[in-house]
Amino acid sequence: MNVETTWLLTVLGAPLAAALLLPLLRGRCARQAGWIAGLAAALSLIATFALLPALRRGDVPILGSEWIPAAHIRLVLHLDWLTFPFLLTEAAVTLVAVVYTWGYHRPDERTPVFYALLMLFAVGMSGTTLADDMFLFYIFWELMLVASCALIAVWGDGERRGAVALKYFIFTHLGSLMVLMGLLMLYDATGSDSFSALRAGITLAPGLVTTVTTLFIVGFCVKMAIFPLHLWLPDAHAVAPMPVTIMLAAAMLSMGTYGVLRFPLSIFSPAQMAPFVVPMMVAGIVSELYGALMALAEQDVKRIIAYSSVSQMGYILFGLGTLTYDGVAGATLHVIYHAIVKALLFMCVGLVMRATGRRRIAELGGLGSAMPLVALCTGAGVLAIAGMPPFCIFVSEWMIFSGGFHTAHIGLSVLTLFGSLLTVAYALWFVGRIFFGARPEGLTVDRLPWAMVAPTVLLAALALIGGLFPATVCDWVAHGLPLILGGAW
């Protein structure tokens, strides 16, 4: 075992060890549980960065063992340039969510279990990203669903949390079953469950390519919450504890994008994917417009930001559907920048809810003078989500739109460009209604824990820094593009 494989193990091993240890502390070290989870999340993030030099040298950190030799199934973890941006996003979001939890969550005897499930949720996402075989991929894919569902069912807000968790499980598991069908069909046709082997080149009948690709795209679009496959998302985001909502919106949604990139776009050629260009672009536009309109119509502050995720995933699907360099690169960048901005906005919402005890936007207003730092951070978030320069999402949206104009479907590109005006509308309406105007009678503001404020300020700064200095992240994404569509750009 060399240094790279040690770091690779640490990415998953640190949060997994914490998840196994924390339940043993139940009722004894409730307050220390958060520090243990934070340490594990920090180690996982450090290990992710520690693997970057190996990638720059052209190495591919890999760790594997035989599992079922007769069926040619191995358990393999590996990191490449396509994986790295997603792994980094998941690790970073987990860490800021855990720190935010220190202030959000009131410790009790179940607190260690709460943090243990957060760690399992993180292991599920990171394992899904690192898996290099179908078997392991699906195990981790289901783990993140089970862990997040348990968090919603037990610690969610309101009496409907059980029903919401069940709805979330059923909808997303149906998508998972479609993904599983696609995986099994690929395995049956090729006799291999290795992603690396599949990417090296396979020959399938045209009808099978169409069927498998359809299963993958629809299944992964459920996880991305693309309209009309989004029905699980608004309730799940609204009811989940805020740290879980942050991880759902900023990290788990990206798993759908990763799935589309890792499977159909990595395995099949541009010619094989060509029939899916218009459907993906159209579906992206519809989701973009629907999510923005619903954000304008909503009154619950968490559901407003939840619907904005439906809209933002539409931009990503549109970019992927262009099958152009700019479009796919922009979509991948948008995953990273959306994670920063969506985590920021949900953290700001959590601060408002914690300080006022209210979550309906009609009951809020005039909070700018009482909460100037939160207002500044929220302003940065809404300007970023609206794609305003110099904030980070301007860069990714520019590339997505550019990719659209490099296709033959200029009309669709114009439509998605003008559809972004709705994003500006709901973003400005959101911040205006909460922080400007007259303060409603009886609205008071409580002090906020530093553990909730500090990561919020950090993400607001990153939203600006990412837009001013995008070169590093763009370089990471550019290194991964030769692994997609055979590198035929």
Side-chain angles (χ1 to χ4, degrees):
M1 183 179 293
N2 56 27
V3 175
E4 284 76 21
T5 55
T6 301
W7 286 122
L8 196 62
L9 274 177
T10 304
V11 172
L12 292 179
L16 181 58
L20 296 175
L21 172 65
L22 284 166
L24 302 178
L25 305 178
R26 185 174 181 178
R28 294 195 297 272
C29 301
R31 293 189 177 276
Q32 288 72 29
W35 293 99
I36 294 172
L39 176 62
L43 284 173
S44 183
L45 181 60
I46 291 169
T48 301
F49 275 113
L51 289 165
L52 187 57
L55 291 178
R56 293 199 178 280
R57 292 195 303 269
D59 297 336
V60 178
I62 188 168
L63 179 66
S65 64
E66 295 290 340
W67 181 250
I68 309 176
H72 306 290
I73 294 177
R74 302 180 74 237
L75 300 184
V76 181
L77 299 174
H78 104 303
L79 181 72
D80 57 26
W81 278 111
L82 179 58
T83 303
F84 180 77
F86 291 89
L87 182 65
L88 179 62
T89 300
E90 295 146 15
V93 168
T94 299
L95 179 57
V96 296
V98 169
V99 174
Y100 193 85
T101 307
W102 295 348
Y104 173 88
H105 183 78
R106 292 179 171 86
D108 58 30
E109 65 175 9
R110 299 185 305 172
T111 294
V113 180
F114 180 83
Y115 281 108
L117 287 171
L118 282 182
M119 293 295 96
L120 280 181
F121 189 11
V123 169
M125 291 188 290
S126 297
T128 298
T129 308
L130 288 172
D132 192 46
D133 60 272
M134 300 178 189
F135 191 84
L136 200 56
F137 174 90
Y138 196 73
I139 289 174
F140 284 121
W141 183 266
E142 290 294 84
L143 176 61
M144 66 178 171
L145 170 59
V146 172
S148 56
C149 188
L151 285 162
I152 295 171
V154 178
W155 284 275
D157 300 327
E159 297 179 356
R160 295 183 57 247
R161 61 182 181 270
V164 170
L166 180 61
K167 177 182 177 181
Y168 164 62
F169 184 89
I170 291 173
F171 265 88
T172 53
H173 191 59
L174 285 173
S176 299
L177 289 178
M178 297 188 74
V179 171
L180 179 60
M181 289 174 62
L183 293 174
L184 291 174
M185 292 176 73
L186 268 183
Y187 176 73
D188 181 64
T190 63
S192 173
D193 79 329
S194 168
F195 298 168
S196 298
L198 294 173
R199 191 172 61 246
I202 57 174
T203 301
L204 299 178
L208 185 58
V209 170
T210 301
T211 302
V212 169
T213 303
T214 301
L215 288 169
F216 280 143
I217 290 177
V218 176
F220 289 128
C221 279
V222 173
K223 191 69 78 176
M224 292 174 69
I226 296 294
F227 176 85
L229 306 172
H230 72 291
L231 297 177
W232 63 270
L233 181 141
D235 288 338
H237 281 30
V239 169
M242 191 60 76
V244 180
T245 301
I246 291 166
M247 292 178 69
L248 286 171
M252 195 194 76
L253 292 183
S254 70
M255 292 292 90
T257 306
Y258 176 76
V260 174
L261 287 169
R262 178 57 77 188
F263 287 99
L265 291 188
S266 293
I267 295 172
F268 301 125
S269 68
Q272 291 171 313
M273 291 298 301
F276 297 91
V277 168
V278 173
M280 290 175 69
M281 292 175 71
V282 170
I285 293 171
V286 172
S287 195
E288 172 195 339
L289 298 176
Y290 172 82
L293 289 171
M294 289 301 295
L296 280 169
E298 263 296 339
Q299 293 296 309
D300 183 282
V301 289
K302 282 188 80 175
R303 291 176 70 92
I304 291 170
I305 306 303
Y307 274 113
S308 81
S309 293
V310 177
S311 180
Q312 293 300 309
M313 290 298 110
Y315 287 99
I316 292 174
L317 185 62
F318 178 89
L320 295 176
T322 65
L323 300 187
T324 62
Y325 184 96
D326 284 354
V328 175
T332 309
L333 277 174
H334 205 71
V335 168
I336 301 169
Y337 292 148
H338 172 263
I340 295 172
V341 176
K342 194 51 56 73
L344 168 61
L345 288 174
F346 271 119
M347 286 183 178
C348 290
V349 166
L351 292 172
V352 170
M353 290 170 56
R354 181 64 171 266
T356 65
R358 303 184 183 186
R359 57 187 294 167
R360 292 191 64 80
I361 201 165
E363 299 173 354
L364 298 167
L367 292 176
S369 58
M371 305 174 68
L373 184 58
V374 177
L376 183 64
C377 291
T378 308
V382 298
L383 289 176
I385 205 75
M388 299 291 290
F391 292 95
C392 56
I393 283 183
F394 171 75
V395 178
S396 56
E397 285 191 355
W398 177 283
M399 295 188 71
I400 289 171
F401 296 149
S402 174
F405 282 100
H406 280 88
T407 69
H409 311 290
I410 303 301
L412 296 178
S413 305
V414 171
L415 186 57
T416 195
L417 180 60
F418 279 97
S420 64
L421 293 175
L422 290 175
T423 305
V424 177
Y426 76 70
L428 296 180
W429 173 78
F430 175 80
V431 74
R433 286 294 300 272
I434 295 176
F435 295 102
F436 296 93
R439 190 189 300 187
E441 186 176 349
L443 180 61
T444 59
V445 178
D446 297 333
R447 291 190 61 181
L448 294 166
W450 70 267
M452 294 176 69
V453 176
T456 308
V457 173
L458 173 63
L459 289 177
L462 285 177
L464 179 60
I465 293 170
L468 292 174
F469 306 101
T472 298
V473 180
C474 290
D475 180 63
W476 295 343
V477 171
H479 276 87
L481 290 179
L483 301 174
I484 302 169
L485 296 172
W489 300 108

